């Protein structure tokens, strides 16, 4: 995805996240199931497999991603683009919790910063 569109996606996602509360309470009484995922660490194949087996996020198919989306794997940006796009479409049905790998210093150490610089020539 071209850097211009990634930047638009990031700006809109930031706006939406700033409006959301720090703590979200979820219940299976509203939706029959909630899929909870964690530690994708830049492995796009894992995210695609989760969506293949459990279906895409939707109003009927709720997801919680418990952080560590980036670092280690080579597709951290693609994972963020996909998750942020679904968050913008379904802000009440897809939830993103921050993990320790969503930290600037951890990103420097484990590779996400290098990936961004390489892909977008910052």
């Amino acid at each position: 995805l071209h850097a211009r569109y990634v930047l638009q996606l990031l700006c809109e996602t930031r706006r939406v996240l700033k409006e959301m509360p720090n703590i979200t309470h979820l219940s299976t009484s509203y939706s029959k199931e909630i899929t909870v995922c964690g530690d994708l660490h830049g492995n796009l194949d894992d995210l695609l497999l989760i969506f293949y087996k459990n279906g895409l996020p939707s109003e009927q198919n709720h997801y919680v991603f418990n952080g560590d989306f980036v670092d280690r794997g080579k597709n951290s940006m693609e994972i963020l683009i996909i998750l942020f796009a679904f968050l913008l479409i379904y802000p009440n049905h897809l939830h993103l919790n921050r993990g320790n790998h969503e930290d600037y210093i951890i990103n420097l150490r484990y590779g996400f910063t290098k990936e961004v610089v390489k892909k977008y020539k910052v």
Side-chain angles (χ1 to χ4, degrees):
L1 195 57
H2 189 276
R4 163 191 261 164
Y5 304 115
V6 172
L7 187 59
Q8 287 177 331
L9 178 73
L10 293 175
C11 288
E12 186 63 19
T13 301
R14 182 176 188 223
R15 186 189 66 74
V16 168
L17 287 172
K18 285 178 104 176
E19 294 174 2
M20 292 182 163
N22 280 340
I23 297 174
T24 304
H25 298 277
L26 301 175
S27 171
T28 54
S29 64
Y30 298 114
S31 66
K32 300 288 186 224
E33 280 184 17
I34 298 174
T35 302
V36 180
C37 308
D39 296 86
L40 292 168
H41 285 294
N43 294 312
L44 183 59
D45 289 343
D46 290 351
L47 179 62
L48 298 177
L49 182 62
I50 290 165
F51 287 159
Y52 175 75
K53 290 193 173 232
N54 297 301
L56 294 173
S58 68
E59 291 180 10
Q60 296 75 33
N61 198 14
H62 298 218
Y63 277 88
V64 174
F65 286 90
N66 278 327
D68 293 356
F69 317 121
V70 300
D71 289 325
R72 297 185 184 145
K74 62 181 178 174
N75 296 112
S76 295
M77 273 306 300
E78 290 79 2
I79 286 175
L80 287 181
I81 289 167
I82 291 168
L83 291 178
F84 288 170
F86 276 120
L87 177 71
L88 294 177
I89 297 168
Y90 302 111
N92 297 317
H93 309 294
L94 183 129
H95 306 277
L96 302 176
N97 293 324
R98 183 175 176 244
N100 67 313
H101 282 267
E102 283 69 55
D103 176 76
Y104 176 72
I105 299 299
I106 300 289
N107 293 161
L108 283 172
R109 180 172 180 160
Y110 289 98
F112 180 57
T113 303
K114 287 180 187 174
E115 178 184 334
V116 172
V117 169
K118 180 180 176 187
K119 289 181 178 178
Y120 293 101
K121 312 287 188 252
V122 175

